[in-house]
Amino acid sequence: MALDKNQIAQRIAQEINDGDYVNLGIGIPTLVANYIPEKVNVILQSENGLLGIGPFPTDDNVDADLINAGKQTITYVKGATFFDSSRSFAMIRGGHVDLTILGAFEVSETGDIASWKVPGKMVKGMGGAMDLVSSAKNIIVAMQHTNKGQSKILKKCTLPLTGVSCVKKIVTDIAVLEVTANGFKLLERAPGVTVEEIVNSTEGKLIVEGEIPEMKLY
Amino acid sequence: MNKVVKNVYEAIEGIADNMTLMVGGFGLCGIPENSILALSKTGIKGLCCISNNAGVDDFGLGLLLKNKQIRKMISSYVGENAEFERQLLNGELEVELIPQGTLAERVRAGGAGIPAFFVPAGYGTEVAEGKEVRAFDGKMHLMETALKADFAIVKAWKGDTNGNLIYKYTANNFNEVMATAGKITIAEVEELVPVGELDPNCIHTPGIYVQRIFKGENYEKRIEQRTIKHS
């Protein structure tokens, strides 16, 4: 069975270490916050100027001056700090953010990512994605492995790039892949999904070594 | 030193056709609502607006777009605006999209007297087209240049009569940095207090950057994505 969005988020949450400063992108990455174990102490960065994102507010707790990068109303945790956009990106560009988790349309076997523009359709802009992928220490992509049967895990991206040689790991609905110097290395498969199915859904070079374990979702 | 202006119209005096404006805010959070509304009631046109976003159809910079007062937008993200899309596809509007951190840093450089600098964002993408590329410590970087504006318009939570400003939560965003990069910086504030009342330890924008300040009225503070916890 392929994973749903929440299960992809659940699997990615296992990649977060105690003490990490993490930037979560819009979409599936935002859901990751729901699966971080309580004993793992993480500080979430929002590039519009907050370290220490809290849960969504209750109805009477909404403040228009307090939003995340997806423009959703949020709260902040104890010990949070606010700052302006230039400082926010200085901490991103300076490599102080340990982990960036974001979505993508395509990823290539050399770690290139395309996530911001589909030519011919409306162009909305790259927001902070190019800054994040060019500077975070560790970049994990959350995405669907295929789109209408077409692989999105490619030899070379077909869409305009967001960044080059930057993605370290990919968690899709059917597999966990590591980007290595020799191509995608298959690390795990979704429960019930066969290695053959993953091979058939992957256009880029896929390295399969030994037994591939099933993902554990907890 | 008298920086306090009577009202928003006095504040925006001197803004003219074809000028470059910086407008603070992230989405609709922390935008200078009063100044944008007042500009929408003038016939000023041909503006180049440097702002992270372009508002929504009927609020924020969307008001100026609807009146076709904007010739060019310099932004990082311009979704959520159908009129914007229409003008862009019809070739009525020029748009320059810049990575958000690069945009913030170009504004910071403009205010800090740094004409150009190198960043890794956008290397290997279409953002790199026409830019000088250089390797530092084995990593490729693009040269980016400073941005300045004829007027920077920012919104703060509290301000004093000397132009010292404090922003609230994430309504700071681009306001603090843009306040440094206008030839004339206009600050509209929710609370305007006499000099000496704000704690000097808590000032975000020192008044040296601000030429005009006024107390704004009737803040709507529209929310784009009202998201509530499911309990």
Side-chain angles (χ1 to χ4, degrees):
Chain A
M1 273 291 284
L3 305 186
D4 64 22
K5 286 178 179 185
N6 279 297
Q7 289 169 316
I8 294 174
Q10 200 175 351
R11 174 61 191 81
I12 291 178
Q14 296 166 22
E15 301 291 322
I16 296 175
N17 298 310
D18 191 54
D20 276 353
Y21 288 87
V22 181
N23 182 290
L24 301 177
I26 296 163
I28 297 174
T30 305
L31 300 172
V32 173
N34 300 337
Y35 298 100
I36 300 169
E38 255 178 51
K39 62 177 193 303
V40 177
N41 197 354
V42 175
I43 295 187
L44 300 176
Q45 204 249 17
S46 195
E47 64 265 28
N48 56 320
L50 166 59
L51 266 176
I53 304 174
F56 292 122
T58 55
D59 208 27
D60 50 5
N61 221 6
V62 169
D63 189 328
D65 290 327
L66 185 47
I67 63 169
N68 64 17
K71 294 161 191 136
Q72 296 171 304
T73 48
I74 47 164
T75 60
Y76 61 91
V77 298
K78 260 185 211 169
T81 53
F82 296 96
F83 35 83
D84 82 288
S85 298
S86 71
R87 192 171 204 190
S88 180
F89 282 95
M91 66 181 71
I92 289 166
R93 201 183 299 109
H96 305 281
V97 174
D98 298 298
L99 173 62
T100 284
I101 300 168
L102 77 168
F105 301 142
E106 298 172 345
V107 174
S108 82
E109 63 189 31
T110 56
D112 295 353
I113 174 173
S115 68
W116 74 283
K117 182 177 181 180
V118 181
K121 294 193 180 174
M122 175 54 186
V123 178
K124 290 175 187 279
M126 66 290 282
M130 287 191 181
D131 312 89
L132 282 157
V133 300
S134 65
S135 293
K137 281 179 256 178
N138 188 11
I139 295 161
I140 299 177
V141 166
M143 65 189 291
Q144 303 297 322
H145 210 99
T146 58
N147 180 26
K148 294 171 189 151
Q150 294 287 308
S151 180
K152 293 163 50 162
I153 310 294
L154 306 172
K155 282 189 199 316
K156 202 169 182 297
C157 293
T158 64
L159 294 169
L161 295 179
T162 309
V164 294
S165 307
C166 53
V167 176
K168 302 283 193 290
K169 201 176 255 189
I170 308 162
V171 179
T172 75
D173 52 334
I174 57 172
V176 179
L177 308 168
E178 186 187 341
V179 179
T180 72
N182 302 314
F184 298 110
K185 186 175 177 192
L186 181 58
L187 299 182
E188 296 173 23
R189 55 197 170 83
V193 171
T194 64
V195 169
E196 193 187 356
E197 284 173 69
I198 297 166
V199 169
N200 291 338
S201 301
T202 306
E203 190 228 63
K205 188 179 174 195
L206 188 69
I207 304 161
V208 183
E209 286 175 356
E211 278 295 300
I212 304 300
E214 280 192 355
M215 295 180 206
K216 289 191 172 62
L217 297 173
Y218 48 79
Chain B
M1 186 187 309
N2 185 23
K3 297 184 176 183
V4 181
V5 291
K6 278 201 299 288
N7 56 42
V8 63
Y9 292 100
E10 200 176 314
I12 64 168
E13 208 176 285
I15 297 181
D17 290 357
N18 305 314
M19 279 188 170
T20 296
L21 308 183
M22 285 184 187
V23 182
F26 183 96
L28 299 179
C29 180
I31 60 171
E33 292 183 21
N34 280 232
S35 302
I36 293 170
L37 188 64
L39 279 170
S40 76
K41 291 173 181 168
T42 68
I44 299 165
K45 57 185 190 305
L47 294 170
C48 170
C49 287
I50 303 171
S51 185
N52 189 54
N53 313 89
V56 295
D57 278 331
D58 59 343
F59 199 59
L61 287 180
L63 295 173
L64 304 189
L65 282 168
K66 200 167 62 183
N67 295 343
K68 299 196 178 171
Q69 292 175 274
I70 299 177
R71 170 182 50 88
K72 180 176 182 181
M73 283 297 313
I74 299 179
S75 305
S76 86
Y77 189 84
V78 291
E80 358 288 355
N81 193 319
E83 175 61 16
F84 182 98
E85 182 175 355
R86 195 195 63 73
Q87 290 186 21
L88 182 62
L89 295 174
N90 280 352
E92 296 166 28
L93 182 69
E94 215 182 310
V95 178
E96 188 178 340
L97 292 169
I98 300 178
Q100 196 172 129
T102 299
L103 176 62
E105 192 63 12
R106 289 181 68 184
V107 175
R108 196 191 76 82
I114 299 169
F117 55 92
F118 286 85
V119 289
Y123 170 73
T125 76
E126 60 187 59
V127 165
E129 283 166 21
K131 288 178 184 159
E132 184 180 337
V133 177
R134 221 190 268 186
F136 294 94
D137 295 330
K139 186 169 173 171
M140 303 307 277
H141 292 73
L142 304 180
M143 190 175 83
E144 297 284 357
T145 54
L147 286 172
K148 291 184 199 180
D150 296 302
F151 283 82
I153 310 175
V154 303
K155 149 84 190 342
W157 179 28
K158 294 176 182 179
D160 70 20
T161 50
N162 272 12
N164 296 308
L165 305 175
I166 298 174
Y167 308 94
K168 190 179 179 191
Y169 299 147
T170 56
N172 180 338
N173 55 63
F174 278 85
N175 285 298
E176 184 179 341
V177 74
M178 284 183 171
T180 68
K183 282 181 202 154
I184 295 177
T185 290
I186 302 166
E188 56 171 86
V189 298
E190 288 176 59
E191 287 177 47
L192 180 60
V193 301
V195 69
E197 283 198 13
L198 298 178
D199 180 350
N201 291 301
C202 298
I203 304 292
H204 292 114
T205 294
I208 190 170
Y209 295 113
V210 176
Q211 281 70 45
R212 301 177 188 175
I213 188 166
F214 70 98
K215 183 184 179 307
E217 287 169 350
N218 303 319
Y219 282 104
E220 180 182 335
K221 294 197 182 181
R222 196 182 292 187
I223 293 171
E224 275 179 84
Q225 306 281 343
R226 191 186 176 90
T227 310
I228 304 295
K229 179 164 61 180
H230 303 288
S231 50

